Amino acid sequence: MSADAHGHHETNYVKIWAILVGLLVVSVLGPMLGHPVITLITAFGIALIKAYLVAKNFMHLNVEKPIVHWTLGAALVLMVLLYAGIMPDVGRASGERWKKNAGWHYHGTSPHSEHSEGAEKGKGEGATGH
Amino acid sequence: MKPIATTRSAMGIMTGKLAVYWVLVSEIVIFGGLLACYVMNRIAHVEWAEQAAHTNTWAGAFNTLILLSSSLSAVLAHQAAEKGNGKKAANLLYLTCLGGLVFLIVKSFEWTHEIKAGFTIQSSGFWAYYYTAAGLHAFHVIAGMLVMLWVASTAKKNQELHRVENVGIYWHFVDLVWIFLFPLLYIAK
């Protein structure tokens, strides 16, 4: 497809880049306020906006053929299905015959000393670990 | 004789470009699956935040800036290619590769520092995901750079200019993945 049909030449790419950099600054500074809701919005909300801007303006997905939207969309749906299908199990701390232990997942600020401690703990609880 | 990727248009889109999108579909499944599992475990293990506190936010932010800038040069290369200016497109692709190189250098310093501090891929669940996700992404950066250098070498001679857009689409996707990796690994503490 020609550039004119896409309308690429009208896009001010430097301006889009400047907006993306501005959003990056907000996403770094926002979480420094220490408020969980602000962190969630500035870190992940802004990541979604940045992704949208890149996909629309740099990848030109807004003017791409429907087949592209469908194929990419199908992959995204699969990802959501994976998450929705597994999360109810992964998110649980215990089940009918199992209990999740901290083990390998827990790690203190001093890696050398506490790693071995965590590993030992994990071994000890291995029988019931998930 | 021209390759089929440039002469055949399936579903109203050039075969070569469609193939790039199919690659991206597989990449969405790869990175999407990995990140979805990371998010699940991160939610299930609140103690991971303690580990995430050791990642260098400024290095991650600088690398985000580098990748966003390299995406700009990639899209400008595409613009130049559409105008038939292969030499300019090639130079912009080289600039994009330079961005990729800077990204990898920063990442290597970062990893060296973290490994020396004792945070290895075996330290904990968080660090296993951290090195796997960032490492897989870095591998994609390297692959993109290699392909881009090859595309630039032909674009410089004003040949196969459509490839500039194709490699650009891949590069923007690599940028997109990092846009999500950055808050997940560096900001959520």
Side-chain angles (χ1 to χ4, degrees):
Chain A
M1 188 179 280
S2 74
D4 291 334
H6 276 170
H8 298 175
H9 293 297
E10 288 76 33
T11 311
N12 187 340
Y13 295 117
V14 178
K15 189 180 165 188
I16 301 293
W17 172 81
I19 293 170
L20 287 166
V21 173
L23 289 171
L24 168 65
V25 172
V26 176
S27 67
V28 173
L29 297 181
M32 287 181 180
L33 296 172
H35 194 282
V37 177
I38 294 173
T39 301
L40 207 64
I41 293 168
T42 53
F44 297 103
I46 284 180
L48 286 172
I49 298 170
K50 280 194 287 186
Y52 170 75
L53 287 174
V54 170
K56 179 178 177 276
N57 298 290
F58 288 177
M59 291 177 86
H60 306 119
L61 282 181
N62 57 329
V63 290
E64 213 44 274
K65 296 284 178 192
I67 181 74
V68 173
H69 299 151
W70 282 107
T71 47
L72 294 178
L76 287 171
V77 168
L78 284 174
M79 193 182 83
V80 173
L81 279 176
L82 169 82
Y83 187 91
I86 301 174
M87 185 56 195
D89 181 35
V90 176
R92 289 173 69 185
S94 62
E96 205 172 308
R97 296 182 183 183
W98 58 270
K99 185 182 169 197
K100 198 179 285 175
N101 65 59
W104 193 53
H105 293 291
Y106 179 75
H107 206 287
T109 49
S110 174
H112 291 302
S113 57
E114 294 185 27
H115 175 232
S116 52
E117 186 186 314
E120 289 304 315
K121 190 179 176 186
K123 278 177 198 169
E125 297 174 13
T128 53
H130 177 62
Chain B
M1 190 179 154
K2 286 267 185 190
I4 198 166
T6 61
T7 53
R8 192 178 68 177
S9 174
M11 311 292 286
I13 181 170
M14 284 296 172
T15 313
K17 194 173 168 185
L18 188 61
V20 173
Y21 277 115
W22 274 110
V23 169
L24 297 196
V25 165
S26 67
E27 298 289 358
I28 289 173
V29 176
I30 293 167
F31 279 108
L34 183 65
L35 294 186
C37 290
Y38 169 78
V39 171
M40 281 188 269
N41 277 290
R42 184 70 196 264
I43 292 169
H45 301 279
V46 285
E47 63 275 13
W48 280 21
E50 199 182 307
Q51 296 302 298
H54 294 281
T55 57
N56 189 331
T57 307
W58 294 109
F62 180 73
N63 263 349
T64 309
L65 175 66
I66 293 296
L67 276 192
L68 288 175
S69 305
S70 70
S71 256
L72 172 68
S73 56
V75 78
L76 290 176
H78 172 205
Q79 195 178 40
E82 283 194 331
K83 288 177 181 170
N85 192 342
K87 196 176 175 188
K88 188 181 176 186
N91 287 335
L92 283 162
L93 286 183
Y94 289 134
L95 188 64
T96 308
C97 282
L98 184 66
L101 185 65
V102 172
F103 176 90
L104 292 171
I105 290 170
V106 171
K107 181 109 321 257
S108 62
F109 274 109
E110 204 187 329
W111 278 24
T112 305
H113 175 78
E114 281 153 0
I115 291 167
K116 275 185 179 172
F119 300 112
T120 68
I121 196 166
Q122 292 178 308
S123 294
S124 71
F126 170 78
W127 290 104
Y129 270 107
Y130 171 83
Y131 286 109
T132 305
L136 187 65
H137 180 265
F139 173 73
H140 281 77
V141 170
I142 294 167
M145 285 167 66
L146 292 175
V147 175
M148 211 171 278
L149 286 173
W150 174 63
V151 170
S153 69
T154 52
K156 199 164 57 180
K157 296 177 233 165
N158 258 353
Q159 291 170 358
E160 312 294 353
L161 290 180
H162 68 281
R163 287 176 182 165
V164 176
E165 181 186 12
N166 293 350
V167 75
I169 290 168
Y170 172 84
W171 193 260
H172 299 314
F173 178 79
V174 171
D175 186 18
L176 274 181
V177 171
W178 185 258
I179 283 173
F180 288 105
L181 277 181
F182 174 58
L184 284 171
L185 301 177
Y186 293 86
I187 293 184
K189 295 183 175 179

